[in-house]
Amino acid sequence: MPTKISKETLPMTATELRDAILKHIEYSQGKDLVHASLYDMRMALTLAIRDRVIEPWFRATRATYAAQSKRVYYLSMEFLIGRLLEDAILNTGLTEAAREAVAGLGFDFDTVLADEPDAALGNGGLGRLAACFLDSMSTLGCPAYGYGIRYEHGLFRQSFGPDGRQVETAEDWLRQKHGWEFERPEASFNIGFGGSVAETGRSAVWTPDDAVIAKAYDTPIIGWQGKWANTLRLWGAEPLTAFDLAAFNKGDFAGAAAPEALARTISRVLYPDDTTDQGKELRLKQEFFFTAASIRDILRRFSAEHNDLAALPSKVAIQMNDTHPAIAGPELVRLLADERGMAFEQAVDTARACLGYTNHTLMPEALERWPEKLMTQVLPRHMQIIERIDELHAKAHPKRKVSIVEGGEVKMGELSFIMANKVNGVSALHSELVKDTVFAELNKLHPGRIVNETNGVTPRRWVKGANPRLSALITDTIGEGWEDNLERLVELEPAIAEQGFRDRFAAIKAENKRDLTAWIEREMGISVNPDAMFDVQIKRFHEYKRQHLNILETIALWQEIRANPKGNWAPRVKIFGGKAAPGYVMAKEIIHLINNVARVINSDKSTRDLLTVVYPANYNVTMAERLIPASDLSEQISTAGKEASGTGNMKFSLNGALTIGTLDGANVEIRELVGAENFFLFGMTADEVVKRRETPDHAARAIKASPRLSAALEMIESGAFSNGDKTTYSDLAQNLRSHDYFTVCADFDSYWDAQRRVDQAWADPDNWTRMAAINTARTGWFSSDRTIKGYMADIWKIDPMI
């Protein structure tokens, strides 16, 4: 067991850090201080801090090897890590030293931190959860690797055109050197596609006809107080032959570079549009590329320490974050059976004993399915293995009604379930629904395989770092040590009864709001009232998340304010944030509508003091760190039964925002913890939603019964938000009127009524502050440390090393 690192050994003085920064300005950046740019200062600070991270990183690696400990391997298509510099400074206890050292060198510390681009490695909750888990695994001393893709351009950079439509352009976060990563050319694997399979007795030989190189790039992830560091290993794709000199000499300059361009396409963009056959093929190749490289790296590391492959499950736990890495099962089976001679059935059992699967969706259409023809074309040996796994499962369960391969499709959700020893949901409600809906039949065949691990967020990033004013109040009130024991926040409760505490809590929220107000003015040129309620919905755009319910209520509210301007209205700033997938037409139309509603409402002088709509472009981790601490009301309004968990809801509550929401995902657990009186509940339950859909004209009935909803829809259809064009939003309106699968119309009146309860609560500022503070005090359970402890005990069967 490694020796615990005392906190006293960690700090570095401001003078020592200043000297380290100057050394890197000179020897790493090739500048002197007089000529150093902001970029030079940021890179020098990054490298100086990285130097401090390397020692515990190496020590953790050596300790794991020495103990021959089991390791966790977390496979995820996304790691939304955001900016790393401030996080590393915070976790190593160097915030004050860094601030003093940078200021002493003539630079503004906050400006230097802001110069770091967000790593464009994710989209939403899936990727941010993976990032929080990396932080918690390092904080807890759980030996782990995160594995993903080093996307050159990530998702996309979002902007809005003059008509309010989303515009997607390439993200350029890697245009500058990424100061945190270490290139590992020695850790490279050839990843093949296509080709042929030759049977050789008990096994087979796959000969791909195309291949790329997966090259590793390592980023150390330091835990709280610098006691342990794990590795995020990202794979970049490179060609086997980088440059065709013969083609170049013949004048075919584009052709000469074609191999490199083709390889880089694999690690260029997160979630390429898969509405085309070419897009589907690229998505499948991406998933196999990073999963296959990761599995080979895992076996390489295991084989360097152990000879008996049967011991693999005792040393290796592989967690599949959603279905994207589902090919891990067949690939591990292939490597064990075809390349290492293990009997096929034993290889399947061994792989299953290593694998866990986290389900993130209840929507069958969101569980990946690949055309059997495509799978056979791209991964012919894996298609054979999948069919044999399916046959083995059918043989073991003759009455089974579920197959992996069905209707010409390969169902990756079923493959993940069958190849995992544990399957977990991510909230109490979600895990029960997983048992009862998408995997009901498999749950009957494999009772006990599904477990629950409710999501959490890292308090280091989302409270300590994002909200330093609130963090100071927490420390002043309950003392130090809550950052890695977040359930201590309950100790705040006695103080909430004191007026002085509530006054300070309210003042902190007001300061955070003033900061956000200034940022909105600076970035968007929109002046908002910092004393208004900041009502915020920030998340990936999807119909089930119901941003259109929010904007419909906003239109109805605007109409009511105009009709009764002297009413007892709570002034509101409605803030939206998030991106829609490039191929998701309906989600992009909702974005289009929100921007045009904002344009019209914000230009209405009669309501400007009472209602403003703000939608800053290109939502990312850094923007979330601005918005969440300044939020008064958190919109968690998904259709009940559709949101697996949510993690934004937890971040808002921890930072003292009240929630308006449905009984969906982790909202259920949040409401139980904070108390029903401190949560604004509305809408149908998951069971009621299912029953409501059985009524064919449920949407039409709801619209007819709701004059406000009817008037809001008619206003959209009249062209009021589209310069008089009545057809602009016809598809969106018709979807709501005739189909409305996500029950926006049925829940509208309940949502309206809940918003008016919000107005009433806002009218009593001190009681609102009390409710907000209770949310902070009672949501410490939603720490990703608690979640990871659950994974370690229930799924990975691994003990901490510190």
Side-chain angles (χ1 to χ4, degrees), residues 650-668:
M650 304 167 190
K651 296 164 193 168
F652 279 108
S653 291
L654 281 166
N655 282 276
L658 302 182
T659 301
I660 182 168
T662 53
L663 286 177
D664 197 30
N667 284 358
V668 176

Side-chain angles (χ1 to χ4, degrees), residues 385-405:
I385 291 171
I386 289 167
E387 289 172 335
R388 286 193 65 183
I389 291 170
D390 217 4
E391 290 169 4
L392 286 175
H393 190 253
K395 183 179 178 181
H397 305 279
K399 296 183 179 180
R400 65 98 175 86
K401 300 175 184 177
V402 174
S403 298
I404 300 170
V405 183

Side-chain angles (χ1 to χ4, degrees), residues 200-221:
T200 58
R202 292 176 58 187
S203 62
V205 175
W206 173 36
T207 305
D209 59 16
D210 193 13
V212 298
I213 298 172
K215 186 166 76 174
Y217 295 81
D218 288 353
T219 297
I221 304 296

Side-chain angles (χ1 to χ4, degrees), residues 136-178:
S136 285
M137 285 187 275
S138 292
T139 293
L140 295 169
C142 173
Y145 272 74
Y147 280 114
I149 297 179
R150 183 181 182 264
Y151 299 105
E152 198 172 330
H153 298 299
L155 186 64
F156 58 83
R157 181 179 293 275
Q158 181 195 54
S159 60
F160 301 126
D163 61 352
R165 294 184 187 275
Q166 174 176 286
V167 177
E168 301 112 19
T169 54
E171 182 62 78
D172 61 354
W173 76 287
L174 280 178
R175 182 168 292 178
Q176 298 177 348
K177 177 180 172 65
H178 183 40

